[in-house]
Amino acid sequence: PKDPSGSPSAESIKVKKEVANTFVKRKKRSSLYEWYQEYYKSPMEQMHERCENYPPCDYLSDQIGFSMAYNRFFG
């Protein structure tokens, strides 16, 4: 069904839960530890991402190593 403006109504766009579940599968977490690791990054991982997102640091880390490059730009 269409409303007077010509766009489809919300009822015609909805998909039943059973139908949606056939093509959208969620990854199941087997433990609380896996859930925690997925959402909270370690400080070292945060440092690596910060350096990777800053091109001069990322380039220098390939040349002299991550720790020296990180300390030069952020240390």
Side-chain angles (χ1 to χ4, degrees), residues 20-71:
N21 285 338
T22 60
F23 61 89
V24 177
K25 297 287 183 191
R26 291 183 60 195
K27 181 183 170 192
K28 306 248 182 200
R29 292 175 194 84
S30 61
S31 70
L32 184 62
Y33 178 76
E34 288 181 16
W35 180 86
Y36 181 83
Q37 288 298 104
E38 185 176 329
Y39 287 100
Y40 299 100
K41 296 177 183 173
S42 70
M44 183 59 80
E45 188 174 353
Q46 292 174 357
M47 290 168 57
H48 272 279
E49 287 184 357
R50 186 174 182 194
C51 188
E52 288 172 355
N53 290 332
Y54 185 59
C57 183
D58 189 34
Y59 176 77
L60 193 60
S61 70
D62 291 337
Q63 307 300 318
I64 63 173
F66 166 74
S67 60
M68 291 175 66
Y70 186 87
N71 286 335

Side-chain angles (χ1 to χ4, degrees), residues 1-3 6-17 19-20 23:
K2 293 189 175 195
D3 63 6
S7 62
S9 66
E11 288 79 27
S12 68
I13 296 174
K14 291 183 182 176
V15 177
K16 291 183 180 179
K17 185 177 180 180
V19 175
F23 61 89

